């Protein structure tokens, strides 16, 4: 169970957590066309700061644009509402979930003039895959479900309905005792995790899936930059499941998952079976930046 906070921003006003309800005939609830974000706020040495807020707001608007949903606020208003949501809930570190959805009005697939509604919630959310996962790595399995074909779902959009695919994949691997699923694209190349991008390290080169059939992860972008700054060569290239098996290191990135090492895939040990040196160096670099220990990326932090 999640830990409730006090208030949720809904369509311009704060309502009590327990009263943040919608009509059961809300269009998005039935058909899944909605856009959302996942953002983290970290407590650091100079107070709390939201990580890469402008990039998350941009992506929310891009997702809505792809979905042909017109957000009835501008970026400045949404940005201010997100900061305000963290403040009114007096949260030092939290996960923030903005959601843009099609409200109650007409039913049927054509949403017509149904109102577009916006909600922003924030709550305390610790390590997504567990503290142990961050330290020692997870056991993953390649899913029997295929990630979206680019002309089935437009994966540049973080669109609610797309996550049906992720939930099915996640349930399948959890039922079999694994921590996370890795999905292949329709051609059989590695795409992404259910809620993470995938990286491999082989012979000193960091490789990650190109942005053709995956979500354009903001953590992915941050980790690529941190790696390049440390002189680690980065290639955005397709790779296969067996290339993961023989990689020296594998890790996944996401706002929720942060930078989580992968120690086993499809019952094959990855590298030494524990988080490798490049993975751990990048994980430390990431946490140092988000908490302000490393002041070199102040521009990524929005003070609350
Ligand atoms: N791929 C997918 C499919 C995905 O959902 C996420 C984020 C990423 C990659 C990484 O993107 P970014 O967060 O910008 O680095 N998944 C969000 C939802 C997780 C959830 O369970 O809800 C997240 O991490 O917030």
């Amino acid at each position: 169970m999640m830990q409730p906070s006090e208030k949720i921003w809904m369509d311009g006003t704060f309502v009590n957590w327990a009263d943040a309800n919608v009509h059961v005939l809300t269009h998005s609830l039935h058909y899944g066309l909605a856009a959302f974000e996942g953002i983290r706020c970290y407590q650091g040495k100079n107070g709390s700061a939201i990580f890469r807020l402008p990039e998350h707001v941009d992506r929310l608007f891009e997702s809505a644009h792809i979905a042909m949903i017109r957000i009835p606020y501008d970026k400045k208003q949404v940005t201010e509402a997100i900061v305000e949501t963290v403040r009114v809930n007096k949260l030092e570190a939290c996960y923030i979930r903005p959601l843009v959805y099609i409200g109650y009005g007409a039913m049927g697939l054509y949403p017509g003039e149904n109102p577009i509604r916006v909600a922003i919630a924030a709550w305390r959310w610790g390590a997504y895959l567990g503290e142990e996962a961050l330290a020692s790595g997870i056991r993953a399995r390649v899913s029997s479900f295929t990630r979206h074909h680019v002309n089935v779902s437009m994966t540049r959009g973080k669109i609610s309905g797309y996550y049906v695919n992720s939930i099915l994949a996640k349930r399948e691997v959890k039922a079999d005792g694994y921590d996370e699923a890795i999905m292949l694209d329709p051609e059989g190349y590695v795409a992404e995790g259910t809620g993470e991008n995938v990286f491999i390290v082989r012979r000193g080169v960091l490789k990650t899936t190109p942005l053709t059939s995956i979500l354009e992860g903001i953590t992915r972008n941050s980790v690529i930059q941190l790696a390049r700054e440390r002189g680690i060569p980065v290639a955005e290239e397709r790779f296969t499941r067996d290339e993961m098996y023989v990689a020296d290191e594998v890790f996944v990135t996401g706002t929720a998952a942060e930078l989580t090492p992968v120690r086993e895939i499809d019952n094959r040990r990855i590298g030494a079976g524990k988080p490798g040196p490049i993975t751990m160096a990048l994980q430390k670099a990431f946490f140092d930046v988000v908490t302000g220990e490393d002041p070199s990326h102040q521009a990524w932090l929005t003070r609350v």
Side-chain angles (χ1 to χ4, degrees), residues 140-146 164-184 194 241 266:
R141 178 152 132 192
V142 171
S143 180
S144 75
F145 293 98
T146 301
V164 170
N165 178 251
S166 283
I167 296 168
L168 292 173
K170 184 87 179 190
R171 281 209 166 140
E172 179 187 51
V173 297
K174 291 287 275 184
D176 289 341
Y178 298 85
D179 305 304
E180 190 52 283
I182 293 175
M183 282 178 287
L184 308 180
T194 62
R241 65 194 291 175
D266 295 347

Side-chain angles (χ1 to χ4, degrees), residues 36-40 51 56 59 95-97 123 125 128 147-148 155 158 162-163 166 170 180 183 191-198 214-222 253-258:
F36 72 100
E37 268 307 315
I39 312 170
R40 270 192 194 270
F51 185 61
H56 281 284
R59 192 172 63 184
Y95 183 85
I96 308 159
R97 168 57 52 80
W123 64 90
W125 202 0
Y128 186 58
R147 198 61 178 151
H148 311 283
T155 53
K158 197 166 170 65
Y162 295 175
Y163 284 82
S166 283
K170 184 87 179 190
E180 190 52 283
M183 282 178 287
E192 60 188 337
T194 62
E196 306 93 356
N197 293 120
V198 181
I214 57 166
L215 185 73
E216 188 174 10
I218 291 165
T219 320
R220 174 189 180 281
N221 173 278
S222 310
T253 63
T255 299
E258 299 168 310

Side-chain angles (χ1 to χ4, degrees), residues 12-265:
T13 51
F14 283 105
V15 299
N16 288 331
W17 180 277
D19 301 326
N21 301 317
V22 294
H23 195 279
V24 74
L25 295 179
T26 293
H27 196 275
S28 296
L29 187 59
H30 293 251
Y31 307 116
L33 191 66
F36 72 100
E37 268 307 315
I39 312 170
R40 270 192 194 270
C41 174
Y42 287 93
Q43 186 175 16
K45 51 191 268 183
N46 306 311
S48 295
I50 301 173
F51 185 61
R52 303 199 73 175
L53 179 57
E55 290 85 349
H56 281 284
V57 171
D58 283 349
R59 192 172 63 184
L60 182 67
F61 277 77
E62 287 175 4
S63 299
H65 177 69
I66 289 169
M68 295 181 84
I69 293 175
R70 207 191 62 78
I71 302 180
Y73 303 97
D74 62 25
K75 286 185 183 176
K76 188 163 172 281
Q77 290 171 311
V78 171
T79 303
E80 282 169 8
I82 291 171
V83 174
E84 226 13 66
T85 304
V86 176
R87 276 195 198 127
V88 300
N89 284 295
K90 299 176 202 71
L91 293 162
E92 282 159 341
C94 61
Y95 183 85
I96 308 159
R97 168 57 52 80
L99 174 69
V100 176
Y101 59 105
I102 305 173
Y104 167 83
M107 280 305 266
L109 292 178
Y110 184 64
E113 297 303 312
N114 288 19
I116 302 305
R117 304 194 54 186
V118 181
I120 303 165
W123 64 90
R124 285 189 188 83
W125 202 0
Y128 186 58
L129 298 160
E131 284 297 335
E132 180 62 21
L134 284 178
S136 312
I138 57 166
R139 295 175 60 239
R141 178 152 132 192
V142 171
S143 180
S144 75
F145 293 98
T146 301
R147 198 61 178 151
H148 311 283
H149 181 279
V150 291
N151 203 28
V152 173
S153 301
M154 297 168 282
T155 53
R156 285 298 175 93
K158 197 166 170 65
I159 292 174
S160 299
Y162 295 175
Y163 284 82
V164 170
N165 178 251
S166 283
I167 296 168
L168 292 173
K170 184 87 179 190
R171 281 209 166 140
E172 179 187 51
V173 297
K174 291 287 275 184
D176 289 341
Y178 298 85
D179 305 304
E180 190 52 283
I182 293 175
M183 282 178 287
L184 308 180
D185 69 21
E187 287 180 272
Y189 292 90
V190 173
E192 60 188 337
T194 62
E196 306 93 356
N197 293 120
V198 181
F199 285 80
I200 64 173
V201 179
R202 191 157 186 242
R203 298 183 183 133
V205 178
L206 188 60
K207 215 187 248 194
T208 193
T209 317
L211 293 175
T212 38
S213 59
I214 57 166
L215 185 73
E216 188 174 10
I218 291 165
T219 320
R220 174 189 180 281
N221 173 278
S222 310
V223 167
I224 289 174
Q225 281 195 54
L226 293 173
R228 290 203 168 121
E229 285 162 13
R230 281 153 186 79
I232 301 165
V234 184
E236 293 180 66
E237 264 172 36
R238 300 207 292 189
F239 54 90
T240 52
R241 65 194 291 175
D242 58 346
E243 198 170 337
M244 291 194 296
Y245 299 159
V246 297
D248 302 315
E249 305 180 30
V250 177
F251 62 86
V252 294
T253 63
T255 299
E258 299 168 310
L259 196 162
T260 301
V262 179
R263 64 182 158 88
E264 190 189 300
I265 299 172

